[in-house]
């Protein structure tokens, strides 16, 4: 019988867990023995006792015993063994892939789940975590902004609603737009992709239209703009940024660095007390990696690249369903069936995908 190990995450600030206790019975019903590393879910408020009550075995080290490892961040390659399947958000760059390949490890990178295949949607961990991140970004902005988000009319006077600009209308951007709207702000959204503008409007937000060229890319993502197109886009955006109290940026291009949308000059034109939440960690020139700070002109700039980990219970619950959906897809009668002809597996499994059946005790 195959065994699955739930790893205790060790990354800085990482509080999520790959499988929550409520899904242990589902994994056992699929023919897996469930091993949970002691304390794996503690940071997300899932105690060892909840896993044990659900039928899991609590162990000190799952890596040496499990045939399948479920994780959030990528584990060190030197702690994995040949024949093991590791499933997670691996951000599998060429060097990591080469290391895993040399060690005979089978790696499934849930970052690569194809969004355009309907059968893959339950496995789409990137979407589930971006949804959490967008929500959290709006909440963080509201908490940091030292005025009200909604319009308030009181005996002490009237407080105008916050003006919020969200750049990028993918999953995270739309989540941020919807949340900021529910908090009462006046929200404007922008995306280089023409079809995204209808989605912005559907949430009741204003749509910022620029003269920049369309940026449709593959798989529903934006394409990378040329240097000239980026410069023109920044120049236009700069004239709008200063009119807003809160700026949330979420723009990503797969396989590339986040596009620079807002330069230093635009930040200097923002009003004192304004807030920037850079969810992409590179859309704003003033962003400092891993830092929150206040500029000389009184603008708070937040690098918010790790937001899902700050909401670990909700993020873990969603992510665990993604992991389970993927495992259910690759399990056949309690054994792991890898099939290079399966388009989902072909996209997600980055090492070791050859036709094979793994029944347990991989070494």
């Amino acid at each position: 019988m195959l065994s699955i190990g739930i790893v205790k995450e060790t990354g800085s600030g990482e509080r999520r867990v790959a499988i929550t206790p409520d899904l242990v019975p589902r994994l056992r019903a699929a023919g897996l023995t469930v091993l949970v590393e002691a304390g794996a879910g503690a940071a997300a408020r899932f105690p060892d006792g909840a896993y044990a009550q659900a039928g899991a075995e609590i162990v000190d080290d799952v890596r040496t015993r499990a045939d399948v490892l479920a994780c959030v961040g990528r584990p060190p390659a030197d702690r994995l063994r040949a024949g093991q399947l590791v499933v997670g958000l691996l951000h599998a760059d060429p060097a990591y892939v080469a290391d895993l390949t040399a060690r005979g490890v089978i790696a499934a990178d849930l970052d690569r789940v194809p969004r355009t295949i309907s059968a893959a949607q339950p496995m789409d961990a990137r979407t589930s975590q971006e949804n959490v991140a967008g929500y959290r970004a709006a909440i963080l902005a509201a908490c940091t902004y030292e005025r009200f988000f909604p319009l308030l009319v009181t005996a002490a006077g009237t407080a105008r609603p916050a003006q919020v600009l969200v750049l990028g209308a993918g999953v995270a951007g739309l989540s941020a737009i919807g949340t900021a709207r529910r908090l009462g702000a006046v929200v404007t959204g922008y995306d280089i992709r023409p079809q995204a503008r209808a989605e912005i409007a559907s949430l009741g937000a204003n749509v910022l239209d620029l003269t920049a060229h369309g940026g449709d890319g593959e798989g529903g993502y934006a394409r990378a703009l040329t240097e000239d197109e980026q410069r023109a886009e920044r120049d236009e955006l700069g004239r709008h940024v200063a009119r807003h109290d809160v700026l949330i940026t979420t723009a990503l291009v797969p396989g590339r660095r986040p596009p620079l949308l807002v330069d230093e000059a635009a930040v200097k034109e923002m009003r004192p007390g304004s807030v920037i939440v850079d969810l992409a960690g590179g859309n704003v020139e003033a962003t400092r990696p891993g830092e929150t700070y206040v500029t000389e002109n009184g603008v708070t700039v937040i690098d918010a690249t790790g937001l899902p980990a700050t909401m670990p219970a909700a993020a873990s619950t969603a992510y665990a369903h993604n992991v389970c959906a993927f495992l259910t897809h690759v399990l056949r009668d309690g054994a792991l069936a890898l099939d290079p002809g399966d388009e989902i597996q072909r996209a997600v499994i980055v090492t070791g995908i050859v036709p094979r059946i793994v029944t347990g005790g991989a070494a």
Side-chain angles (χ1 to χ4, degrees):
M1 178 180 286
L2 280 175
S3 60
I4 181 170
I6 315 306
V7 173
K8 181 179 180 180
E9 301 295 324
T10 58
S12 176
E14 184 54 76
R15 297 168 58 198
R16 292 171 289 178
V17 63
I19 295 294
T20 50
D22 59 306
L23 292 178
V24 170
R26 180 175 166 185
L27 294 174
R28 295 183 68 206
L32 297 174
T33 298
V34 182
L35 310 174
V36 177
E37 190 168 359
R45 308 293 185 253
F46 300 115
D48 288 347
Y51 286 101
Q53 189 173 5
E57 180 185 350
I58 310 301
V59 300
D60 291 329
D61 184 9
V62 296
R63 291 171 176 82
T64 58
R65 292 182 55 184
D67 302 300
V68 179
L69 282 182
C71 55
V72 180
R74 73 186 194 186
D78 61 4
R79 299 196 64 187
L80 305 174
R81 56 183 172 80
Q84 216 167 29
L85 169 66
V86 57
V87 181
L89 293 168
L90 304 181
H91 309 295
D93 55 71
Y96 189 64
V97 169
D99 201 353
L100 294 179
T101 300
R103 296 174 186 275
V105 176
I106 309 164
D109 188 354
L110 296 184
D111 266 322
R112 302 183 179 218
V113 172
R115 286 178 168 173
T116 55
I117 301 175
S118 59
Q121 290 176 1
M123 314 170 202
D124 190 353
R126 175 178 285 187
T127 288
S128 76
Q129 299 309 289
E130 286 180 358
N131 191 47
V132 174
Y135 168 85
R136 195 67 164 181
I139 298 297
L140 176 60
C143 290
T144 306
Y145 183 57
E146 296 175 351
R147 296 180 183 273
F148 294 109
F149 255 40
L151 170 68
L152 290 181
V153 180
T154 72
T158 299
R160 69 174 181 83
Q163 302 287 322
V164 176
L165 176 61
V166 179
L167 304 183
V171 175
L174 292 174
S175 180
I177 288 170
T179 304
R181 282 271 298 153
R182 289 190 290 272
L183 291 172
V186 176
V187 183
T188 300
Y190 167 75
D191 197 288
I192 194 68
R193 298 167 299 144
Q195 77 274 15
R197 294 165 194 170
E199 296 178 312
I200 295 170
S202 73
L203 294 174
N206 302 312
V207 179
L208 177 61
D209 281 315
L210 303 183
T211 58
H213 299 284
D216 288 316
E218 295 181 359
Y221 295 97
R223 68 172 175 85
L225 301 183
T226 67
E227 285 294 330
D228 289 342
E229 288 173 336
Q230 289 186 51
R231 191 177 303 110
E233 183 184 41
R234 281 196 299 272
D235 290 345
E236 274 199 273
L237 281 173
R239 294 193 286 272
H240 294 276
V241 166
R243 304 173 189 171
H244 293 82
D245 305 300
V246 172
L247 172 67
I248 299 173
T249 66
T250 71
L252 292 169
V253 177
R256 295 174 178 264
R257 295 181 61 182
L260 178 61
L261 302 178
V262 179
D263 58 22
E264 292 271 9
V267 175
K268 289 179 180 178
E269 294 299 316
M270 297 181 77
R271 292 184 288 265
S274 299
V275 174
I276 296 173
V277 178
D278 189 348
L279 199 56
N283 290 157
V284 180
E285 190 174 14
T287 299
R288 297 175 183 172
E291 290 189 29
T292 296
Y293 75 101
V294 180
T295 66
E296 291 183 358
N297 60 314
V299 177
T300 301
V301 183
I302 304 171
D303 176 6
T305 50
L307 282 188
T310 69
M311 200 170 168
S316 297
T317 298
Y319 181 70
H321 280 85
N322 302 140
V323 173
C324 278
F326 176 75
L327 290 174
T328 301
H329 183 72
V330 298
L331 285 171
R332 301 289 184 275
D333 300 321
L336 185 65
L338 302 184
D339 178 10
D342 182 291
E343 57 184 340
I344 296 174
Q345 291 192 41
R346 193 166 58 245
V348 173
I349 299 178
V350 295
T351 65
I353 183 165
V354 295
R356 67 171 82 183
I357 301 291
V358 180
T359 57

